Amino acid sequence: MSQFLEISGLCARIDADGQEKQILRGVDLTIPPGEVHAIMGPNGCGKSTLSYVLAGREDYEVTAGSVTFKGQDLLAMEPEERAAAGLFLAFQSPIELPGVNNANFLRTAVNAVRRARGLEELDAVAFLKMAREAAKSLSMAPDMLKRNVNVGFSGGEKKRNEVLQMTLLQPSFAILDETDSGLDVDALRIVAEGVNRLRSPDFSALVITHHQKLLDYLVPDRIHVMAKGRIILSGGPELAKKIDQEGYTKFLAEAA
Amino acid sequence: MPAVTETREAVEKLGQSTYKWGFETDIQMDLAPKGLNEDIVRLISARKNEPEWLLEWRLTAFRKWQSMKEPTWAKVSYPPIDYQDAHYYAAPRKKEGPKSLDEVDPELLKTYEKLGIPLHEQALLAGVELPEGETARPPVAVDAVFDSVSVVTTFRKTLEEAGVIFCPISEAVQEHPELVRKYLGSVVPVADNFYAALNSAVFTDGSFVYVPKGVRCPMELSTYFRINARNTGQFERTLIVVEDGASVSYLEGCTAPMRDENQLHAAVVELVAMEDASIKYSTVQNWYPGDSEGRGGIYNFVTKRGACRGARSKISWTQVETGSAITWKYPSCILQGDGSVGEFYSVAVTNNCQQADTGTKMIHIGRNTRSTIIAKTISAGRSDSTYRGLVRVQPKASGARNFTQCDSLLIGDECGAHTVPYIESRNMAARIEHEATTSKISEDQLFYCRQRGLSEEDAVGLIVNGFCRDVLKELPMEFAVEAQKLLQISLEGSVG
Ligand SMILES: Nc1ncnc2c1ncn2[C@@H]1O[C@H](COP(=O)(O)OP(=O)(O)OP(=O)(O)O)[C@@H](O)[C@H]1O
Ligand SMILES: [Mg+2]
């Protein structure tokens, strides 16, 4: 049987002001079902780009390689099809939607995904009950559901809102792009608990982070180090601690 | 960026098929010969069995019209209109006005059924009203105007008991001539502008509402306009008079079949609010916009004006304009009474080759008069949309205040949006604020929504509805839902 998520030789570039810019230069990565993996790497090495390409952002042109997700050709799917198939991306910088009520947005999304998965849609009452409980478990103020999506949210509130969406959409594969950045210590723990609650043999995650702290809570199965658009090193949780102590320079030098 | 190109291409693909109200009804018509001259004006007046004063009023308007020129200041362009090449009177052939359901042409009923307007309850049509408590939602009285003639008005009895008059204006001319004569043309004079003069000469029907002193109209009133016949102009005339301390909420909706040729629609709406009276006038305009190449569609040249005559009176215009090939429309408020309030909430959507030049005029005459303007403009395809608004403060309007907010949202990069505010203040103490923004639906927003499982179309719908929220929330509940769907349908194919 093929792996849960299998990325091989993935290359992608972007057209920035008429200049072709190669960002991913052959990413190989395999995540088995039920595992949590972490990616670390210096600023600008292509971590967010990888998450966007996996989620289907059209600005990035895939020039080589393949991605299979639960046996399907992920790169051939529309972003919303990927979401329906169970892929969720917690954005490094969540987007604001002025005038769009957060609860309404969440319900529209949850029902779109449920429809695509062959589940019954939730009515407003059932949904609100579920959403309020989920918000509470993330210690979010109840009025966050009534406000406009991410508009005027603090940095930490935005990140929590991402985790709220993840909780409600029940993905089988979540990419968390620096969801820990900008969180205070309590929030970090709450968010980590939110992710841990989802853990099951049917749930995998790829956690992008710069900090050891989140990994202390999540205890990833594997750590990957990315540099210049490739995974240059993989190892167990101890790798993160080493990076935390020694910095990237040494690893990059060794890998070169 | 690839997605933007795709968006633009998809907008271009939007064709006739997306206009869901484009069917034609096969009905026996009573048609006047093509052309416009004094004889036609006399014929219309005679068909309507009008009193002499009204015929004279029409003829005055017609003579003035002949000496007037079509306005050219709006940012719209279209080939010259041949005013002699249209029928100025078209009426479904029928016996004396339908008194019960059996007398209404079944084809007509089917049309309204297809349109899904609240008329469909056959009992309502027959004038048999449902027993108390049997309606799940508040009832809406409907006046349905088919081409030039009002075909049926529902809930008249309930309204009569409350003292409210709601009937076709042609009937009001017969039944309440003193009211019509007193107020007709008192807000929009016969020669106000080219199209208003044309309307005054040839208007055939429309709605009349009179709410007496102290009465709160017990239900929403609604007029439903439909152009059906080929080569006919539609010139309806609406007159709403609300006496001291009375109030009414009124909604108009409109559709037309798909035609290759353009059809002219030049309506006039006059509102009169006396002391402490309030009028809420909402429009959901969905005339046929033409196909993706700009063939066909309605030319919508409309004059709407309200007079806040009494102290503390209030007139509120809310419009959702999604249809028409060309929209030329400036619902206005004359704030005469001290402390009177004018409001204008507008959403104008243009797609493909549609052109809209719309806005408002707030004329502050009385002291402490206040006005609010919230205009949301959405352009897609190769369309062009202009907000044009005037705020004028007269010397005596001490304490006058205006707040204007104009926001434009662009979809794709071939469309245009323009904001043209005119501010004329002759009172130093007046406070006038104007804010304007232009934005695009960003690829970030679309991608964010799609990552959460929404289709691109639903994402655009959600973002557009969010953009329009401040206006949509002003619509009566029932129609807000309809308007939201309409917004989404109008932009269907503008992405993905
Ligand atoms: N739309 C774009 N236009 C131009 N350059 C881009 C674009 N997107 C990404 N890049 C460039 O690609 C490189 C990788 O960016 P990416 O956001 O993937 O880095 P990252 O590893 O997530 O960094 P960080 O740790 O700072 O979040 C950077 O040099 C960035 O400037
Ligand atoms: Mg990043």
Side-chain angles (χ1 to χ4, degrees):
Chain A
M1 202 198 107
S2 68
Q3 288 286 8
F4 180 76
L5 180 80
E6 198 157 1
I7 304 169
S8 64
L10 188 63
C11 294
R13 65 181 179 197
I14 193 154
D15 178 358
D17 302 319
Q19 291 255 319
E20 297 287 356
K21 187 168 173 185
Q22 195 71 38
I23 305 174
L24 300 184
R25 301 161 191 267
V27 175
D28 295 305
L29 183 64
T30 298
I31 302 180
E35 291 196 2
V36 170
H37 287 205
I39 291 193
M40 304 184 82
N43 294 131
C45 70
K47 303 179 297 296
S48 292
T49 301
L50 175 63
S51 72
Y52 284 143
V53 170
L54 293 178
R57 179 138 194 169
E58 282 149 347
D59 313 28
Y60 298 94
E61 187 192 348
V62 174
T63 50
S66 66
V67 181
T68 50
F69 178 54
K70 297 197 257 191
Q72 284 178 283
D73 177 4
L74 189 72
L75 299 179
M77 296 157 77
E78 294 293 333
E80 58 269 34
E81 293 170 342
R82 302 181 198 201
L87 186 146
F88 180 90
L89 168 61
F91 284 59
Q92 182 172 0
S93 315
I95 307 298
E96 299 182 0
L97 302 176
V100 180
N101 171 277
N102 204 16
N104 184 34
F105 173 68
L106 285 168
R107 185 159 88 96
T108 311
V110 166
N111 279 337
V113 164
R114 289 181 70 96
R115 226 173 17 243
R117 292 176 189 165
L119 298 169
E120 211 172 297
E121 291 186 33
L122 296 176
D123 64 35
V125 178
F127 172 78
L128 268 181
K129 188 165 174 279
M130 196 173 97
R132 285 208 190 100
E133 272 165 25
K136 201 167 154 223
S137 74
L138 293 166
S139 303
M140 289 173 72
D143 80 319
M144 302 295 276
L145 287 170
K146 291 186 202 144
R147 289 168 59 178
N148 294 338
V149 180
N150 294 326
V151 178
F153 285 25
S154 75
E157 286 169 344
K158 283 183 182 172
K159 295 300 176 75
R160 263 189 244 201
N161 198 36
E162 294 290 287
V163 178
L164 173 68
Q165 298 184 38
M166 178 176 76
T167 308
L168 294 172
L169 287 166
Q170 300 182 317
S172 51
F173 175 54
I175 306 166
L176 294 117
D177 189 356
E178 295 199 29
T179 305
D180 54 336
S181 300
L183 290 182
D184 63 47
V185 277
D186 294 333
L188 183 68
R189 186 179 40 80
I190 290 161
V191 162
E193 282 166 8
V195 178
N196 279 333
R197 267 196 296 275
L198 289 176
R199 287 189 87 151
S200 81
D202 304 317
F203 174 79
S204 303
L206 183 60
V207 180
I208 298 170
T209 183
H210 289 296
H211 307 292
Q212 171 61 34
K213 191 87 190 151
L214 178 68
L215 302 180
D216 286 344
Y217 287 117
L218 289 184
V219 200
D221 298 283
R222 299 280 293 167
I223 307 268
H224 307 278
V225 178
M226 190 172 195
K228 296 192 180 129
R230 311 175 55 167
I231 302 292
I232 54 161
L233 191 68
S234 299
E238 72 289 347
L239 192 54
K241 291 203 177 66
K242 250 171 102 181
I243 292 171
D244 213 32
Q245 283 153 16
E246 300 170 23
Y248 289 117
T249 333
K250 183 161 163 278
F251 292 95
L252 300 185
E254 276 169 18
Chain B
M1 298 230 284
V4 173
T5 316
E6 206 179 296
T7 301
R8 201 194 55 237
E9 283 165 1
V11 171
E12 285 159 8
K13 266 190 262 153
L14 180 62
Q16 290 200 334
S17 57
T18 51
Y19 187 75
K20 297 193 166 60
W21 300 268
F23 52 86
E24 173 176 353
T25 305
D26 190 11
I27 275 183
Q28 290 259 1
M29 296 298 294
D30 180 12
L31 263 187
K34 271 190 182 176
L36 184 52
N37 49 50
E38 287 205 8
D39 288 342
I40 292 287
V41 175
R42 285 175 198 281
L43 178 140
I44 294 168
S45 192
R47 275 280 201 285
K48 300 256 152 202
N49 199 21
E50 284 174 355
E52 190 58 28
W53 66 266
L54 190 49
L55 173 62
E56 280 311 316
W57 192 86
R58 286 177 182 278
L59 289 171
T60 308
F62 177 69
R63 287 169 199 144
K64 292 237 167 106
W65 177 74
Q66 281 181 305
S67 67
M68 295 171 87
K69 286 210 163 53
E70 251 178 279
T72 52
W73 43 262
K75 198 177 176 316
V76 294
S77 62
Y78 52 93
I81 298 172
D82 181 357
Y83 289 92
Q84 298 303 331
D85 191 36
H87 299 281
Y88 286 84
Y89 183 77
R93 196 165 282 163
K94 54 157 200 223
K95 304 158 241 164
E96 275 302 288
K99 293 285 180 284
S100 77
L101 181 68
D102 306 333
E103 288 176 41
V104 179
D105 189 322
E107 283 298 320
L108 215 74
L109 289 184
K110 263 191 247 160
T111 303
Y112 285 113
E113 218 165 277
K114 268 193 230 170
L115 294 166
I117 59 170
L119 262 177
H120 62 92
E121 287 121 348
Q122 307 236 317
L124 298 192
L125 267 176
V128 183
E129 285 156 27
L130 294 175
E132 200 78 9
E134 228 177 75
T135 37
R137 41 180 208 177
V140 177
V142 179
D143 183 23
V145 178
F146 198 84
D147 289 326
S148 305
V149 168
S150 169
V151 288
V152 69
T153 311
T154 62
F155 278 112
R156 288 174 66 160
K157 242 186 82 214
T158 317
L159 291 169
E160 264 165 38
E161 278 161 20
V164 175
I165 303 170
F166 178 41
C167 66
I169 199 160
S170 56
E171 196 181 309
V173 169
Q174 308 297 331
E175 309 282 321
H176 311 280
E178 68 302 335
L179 284 174
V180 177
R181 193 169 184 178
K182 182 167 173 196
Y183 292 106
L184 188 72
S186 74
V187 187
V188 179
V190 286
D192 184 81
N193 66 68
F194 183 83
Y195 304 113
L198 177 63
N199 173 287
S200 301
V202 303
F203 79 90
T204 35
D205 223 333
S207 299
F208 175 75
V209 176
Y210 179 80
V211 188
K213 241 180 191 175
V215 173
R216 291 187 52 177
C217 185
M219 62 182 77
E220 304 266 351
L221 304 184
S222 158
T223 298
Y224 201 87
F225 295 106
R226 171 120 182 126
I227 297 180
N228 191 62
R230 215 169 264 279
N231 291 316
T232 44
Q234 184 155 332
F235 307 93
E236 76 272 351
R237 186 102 196 175
T238 300
L239 175 59
I240 300 178
V241 179
V242 179
E243 295 281 13
D244 293 355
S247 68
V248 70
S249 169
Y250 181 94
L251 183 118
E252 60 171 9
C254 10
T255 59
M258 301 186 296
R259 302 263 192 231
D260 286 345
E261 72 271 24
N262 295 99
Q263 282 172 290
L264 181 61
H265 173 255
V268 172
V269 175
E270 296 178 279
L271 311 182
V272 179
M274 306 309 283
E275 210 170 285
D276 293 303
S278 115
I279 302 176
K280 185 175 176 62
Y281 193 106
S282 316
T283 302
V284 176
Q285 185 264 110
N286 184 31
W287 296 118
Y288 178 53
D291 69 9
S292 56
E293 294 307 311
R295 277 181 301 252
I298 303 290
Y299 288 166
N300 193 33
F301 301 130
V302 171
T303 305
K304 292 184 167 174
R305 195 172 303 156
C308 284
R309 297 223 169 120
R312 297 168 306 277
S313 56
K314 176 176 173 183
I315 289 179
S316 180
W317 299 99
T318 305
Q319 59 174 25
V320 176
E321 306 276 326
T322 62
S324 298
I326 297 177
T327 300
W328 181 98
K329 181 181 169 190
Y330 315 90
S332 309
C333 297
I334 300 170
L335 303 169
Q336 221 173 325
D338 288 349
S340 59
V341 175
E343 294 173 340
F344 175 72
Y345 300 100
S346 167
V347 170
V349 182
T350 53
N351 198 352
N352 295 312
C353 303
Q354 282 177 276
Q355 305 172 65
D357 193 305
T358 182
T360 184
K361 287 189 252 178
M362 294 290 175
I363 314 293
H364 293 257
I365 300 172
R367 294 152 169 272
N368 299 318
T369 45
R370 278 177 294 141
S371 62
T372 305
I373 299 170
I374 310 275
K376 305 277 180 176
T377 301
I378 300 149
S379 325
R382 283 167 288 157
S383 68
D384 205 43
S385 192
T386 300
Y387 165 82
R388 190 182 301 278
L390 167 70
V391 176
R392 177 185 292 154
V393 180
Q394 304 285 59
K396 292 208 174 109
S398 303
R401 274 186 292 159
N402 162 266
F403 174 73
T404 301
Q405 168 93 47
C406 298
D407 298 317
S408 313
L409 186 69
L410 305 174
I411 303 177
D413 43 22
E414 284 184 280
C415 52
H418 320 273
T419 301
V420 191
Y422 304 86
I423 297 168
E424 299 171 7
S425 181
R426 291 189 221 136
N427 185 307
M428 296 289 283
R431 238 175 53 212
I432 299 174
E433 289 172 72
H434 180 96
E435 287 173 17
T437 66
T438 300
S439 54
K440 282 193 151 205
I441 292 190
S442 73
E443 292 299 314
D444 281 340
Q445 291 175 326
L446 282 179
F447 178 62
Y448 190 66
C449 293
R450 293 179 74 189
Q451 204 308 297
R452 299 306 186 237
L454 273 64
S455 67
E456 200 160 23
E457 225 146 62
D458 287 347
V460 169
L462 202 71
I463 294 165
V464 166
N465 275 307
F467 175 75
C468 301
R469 215 174 67 105
D470 292 344
V471 173
L472 296 178
K473 73 180 198 307
E474 295 297 327
L475 283 175
M477 249 311 251
E478 307 208 21
F479 301 114
V481 178
E482 201 179 305
Q484 274 189 29
K485 281 189 207 135
L486 195 57
L487 282 182
Q488 187 148 349
I489 291 168
S490 311
L491 291 166
E492 216 161 73
S494 70
V495 288

